[in-house]
Amino acid sequence: MKLDIEVKLNEGMKKYIYEIWEKMGNEDRTEYDAALENYRKYLLKETVKNPEDVSVVCQLAGVCYLSRRCDGIEILETFLKRNFDILTEDEKFRIYVDLAYLCEDMGCMEEKAIDYLEKAIKINSNNADIYYRLSAICFYAKIYQKSLENIEIACKMSDEAKYSYGYALILIQNKEYKKAEKILDNLLMEDSNNIKYHFYRVLCKIYLGNKDTENIEKLLEKIKEFEMLEKTDYEKYLNWLTYEGFHTFDEDVIKDLFYLCDNYEKYCKYADKSNFYLEANSIAPYFYSLKQLRKFEKINKIVKKAEKEILQNIEEIKNDEEYQKNMTEEEILEIIKNEKKRLKNINLVSEKILNTDFKPKMEIFMFFENECWLVDCPQHLIIDEN
């Protein structure tokens, strides 16, 4: 957890936290899940005894999040509304940040996440990571100007590498490739093994007109070096995975650079091994590349495979007892409608590629540093021992 905000907990809560820390490294999640559930039950009792205790309710939201329950937002919003007038500014700040994280994690509540972070900033404008988080959420919500403004604030407040890296990503999105390349060059001087820095530096070069695939080949070699660590030095390999964050770069990500360089043979060499999600936009560049190599029969096979898989999905949805039990008829019909639309779009894009000069655009995803910033995450929180 990278916000460096210390959390006050009573001795009873600490005991459960230490137990969670002890169990979370186990391969078998049974004991870890049991530790979370024990902590949740303890916190529920504490909310009855101490209904105005901020730590109790924030920790309850945190443990619900780790337990894959979806009631953390409601718990915090209800508590905030009921106790707003008696909460200190620091307590409100803590709740706002927790709510922002949970709303972003939902994947469909970016506006609320932005609103909560802006409220947190009004209370404490001296935390560079809050601006960084706000920038990242705005970026993924395609509010690019606000994203740029907030990352610039974070960079002025701190020279931490992840802020400069985030700034480079936003500059790439804004087509300021030379400026982004310069930032990435500086980052590589300090950390020459960072795959992300290398990847986006190569991307900048491609966008600036250098379509020499030698840079991509070097990147693939570097990936292989790290992947070999899994067999030769597993501890170092795990450190690399943690260091790189949740989104690790592999051949499947790097292959897309060959498409941008118009090297369809090399792109297909790696794409042939990929397990594509059967959706029109994601598979369209592959169809186009196969067309350039005159592999029309392969396109037809993929379309037929998609048709078989999607129709099979529809039949399973119609007959699956879990769907019938947990969803309304209208919801099931909506899912079936979306599956049919997915198949129709695959057919449409394949026909368009085969029969016209249409070239699909390759979308390169911008991977911000991925780390838990939920202040009250029982796994990552920083306990205030004073």
Side-chain angles (χ1 to χ4, degrees):
M1 201 275 294
K2 301 297 181 183
L3 290 174
D4 294 330
I5 298 171
E6 295 185 345
V7 174
K8 288 187 179 294
L9 303 178
N10 64 38
E11 291 304 315
M13 295 161 80
K14 288 179 187 178
K15 184 186 78 171
Y16 285 98
I17 290 293
Y18 296 145
E19 184 182 358
I20 290 168
W21 289 354
E22 182 186 336
K23 306 296 184 187
M24 69 184 186
N26 297 349
E27 285 188 28
D28 183 356
R29 281 185 58 98
T30 306
E31 291 185 354
Y32 170 73
D33 288 338
L36 288 175
E37 181 60 15
N38 289 339
Y39 190 32
R40 190 183 73 86
K41 288 177 179 177
Y42 167 81
L43 290 168
L44 285 171
K45 290 177 183 176
E46 288 294 300
T47 58
V48 176
K49 289 192 283 185
N50 304 297
E52 295 174 1
D53 191 314
V54 175
S55 287
V56 168
V57 75
C58 287
Q59 280 293 290
L60 180 59
V63 82
C64 286
Y65 163 72
L66 288 183
S67 303
R68 306 182 190 90
R69 295 171 179 267
C70 298
D71 46 356
I73 295 171
E74 183 182 355
I75 288 168
L76 289 178
E77 287 184 334
T78 301
F79 180 84
L80 184 65
K81 185 176 180 181
R82 189 173 63 234
N83 299 288
F84 190 84
D85 292 337
I86 61 173
L87 292 171
T88 67
E89 293 296 276
D90 285 346
E91 288 170 338
K92 288 175 186 174
F93 177 83
R94 177 177 172 180
I95 294 170
Y96 287 146
V97 176
D98 279 345
L99 277 167
Y101 179 93
L102 295 172
C103 288
E104 185 205 20
D105 186 71
M106 288 294 289
C108 57
M109 300 177 70
E110 290 88 353
E111 286 186 14
K112 286 189 80 170
I114 290 167
D115 181 56
Y116 282 127
L117 281 183
E118 288 178 335
K119 286 177 177 176
I121 287 170
K122 285 179 182 177
I123 295 171
N124 178 1
S125 59
N126 296 318
N127 191 310
D129 218 56
I130 297 292
Y131 289 101
Y132 173 72
R133 300 299 161 193
L134 181 54
S135 175
I137 296 171
C138 289
F139 184 87
Y140 291 132
K142 299 184 178 181
I143 310 172
Y144 297 125
Q145 185 56 38
K146 183 181 278 193
S147 177
L148 178 63
E149 290 167 2
N150 282 283
I151 199 66
E152 286 177 339
I153 295 171
C155 287
K156 285 176 184 175
M157 294 175 71
S158 169
D159 61 0
E160 191 173 338
K162 71 176 178 184
Y163 304 142
S164 298
Y165 167 70
Y167 190 24
L169 297 188
I170 295 165
L171 290 171
I172 292 170
Q173 178 64 42
N174 291 347
K175 297 182 169 57
E176 295 186 56
Y177 305 124
K178 284 193 173 181
K179 196 172 177 182
E181 185 183 19
K182 186 177 179 181
I183 291 171
L184 292 165
D185 282 339
N186 291 335
L187 288 169
L188 281 165
M189 287 174 67
E190 299 294 324
D191 184 1
S192 61
N193 286 326
N194 192 301
I195 300 296
K196 290 190 181 82
Y197 300 167
H198 282 287
F199 177 86
Y200 289 112
R201 184 175 177 274
V202 172
L203 181 65
C204 286
K205 287 186 175 297
I206 293 170
Y207 284 148
L208 289 166
N210 182 352
K211 295 192 175 184
D212 182 358
T213 58
E214 184 181 350
N215 292 322
I216 308 172
E217 299 287 0
K218 288 178 181 176
L219 199 55
L220 286 165
E221 285 302 314
K222 192 168 282 291
I223 287 287
K224 285 178 184 176
E225 286 175 26
F226 282 112
E227 289 179 342
M228 283 299 291
L229 291 174
E230 185 175 8
K231 296 176 181 176
T232 60
D233 190 337
Y234 192 66
E235 186 174 343
K236 193 173 180 182
Y237 174 72
L238 287 179
N239 287 340
W240 173 65
L241 287 180
T242 305
Y243 169 68
E244 284 300 314
F246 180 76
H247 297 295
T248 54
F249 278 64
D250 55 18
E251 288 182 354
D252 197 47
V253 176
I254 293 169
K255 75 178 188 314
D256 295 342
L257 299 178
F258 285 120
Y259 183 86
L260 294 176
C261 292
D262 304 324
N263 192 321
Y264 305 115
E265 188 170 350
K266 285 191 176 177
Y267 172 75
C268 284
K269 174 186 171 184
Y270 293 101
D272 287 344
K273 297 183 284 183
S274 294
N275 186 19
F276 278 100
Y277 174 62
L278 294 175
E279 189 270 330
N281 289 336
S282 66
I283 208 167
Y286 187 33
F287 283 163
Y288 181 83
S289 301
L290 290 170
K291 177 188 174 183
Q292 301 312 302
L293 300 175
R294 307 192 65 76
K295 295 185 177 181
F296 304 113
E297 186 57 36
K298 192 157 192 173
I299 297 174
N300 290 331
K301 282 183 180 178
I302 294 168
V303 172
K304 286 178 182 177
K305 179 188 174 186
E307 183 174 348
K308 181 181 178 181
E309 186 175 306
I310 292 171
L311 291 177
Q312 192 173 339
N313 285 347
I314 290 171
E315 285 305 308
E316 287 177 3
I317 292 165
K318 286 179 180 177
N319 301 313
D320 191 286
E321 290 182 6
E322 288 298 313
Y323 277 99
Q324 308 297 330
K325 186 168 63 175
N326 298 321
M327 306 185 83
T328 65
E329 185 179 351
E330 290 77 13
E331 288 171 332
I332 293 171
L333 289 173
E334 185 65 25
I335 293 172
I336 292 171
K337 180 182 173 183
N338 289 336
E339 286 292 289
K340 288 179 178 178
K341 185 178 179 180
R342 183 158 69 97
L343 178 57
K344 181 181 178 182
N345 288 341
I346 290 171
N347 280 305
L348 287 173
V349 80
S350 66
E351 289 170 11
K352 187 175 181 180
I353 287 167
L354 288 169
N355 299 319
T356 71
D357 294 330
F358 169 66
K359 181 180 180 179
K361 185 179 178 183
M362 174 63 73
E363 295 288 343
I364 302 294
F365 194 79
M366 300 296 168
F367 291 99
F368 279 75
E369 292 292 342
N370 190 298
E371 56 199 2
C372 179
W373 51 278
L374 179 64
V375 176
D376 282 278
C377 173
Q379 280 190 189
H380 302 112
L381 84 173
I382 304 170
I383 297 176
D384 183 352
E385 300 289 1
N386 296 322

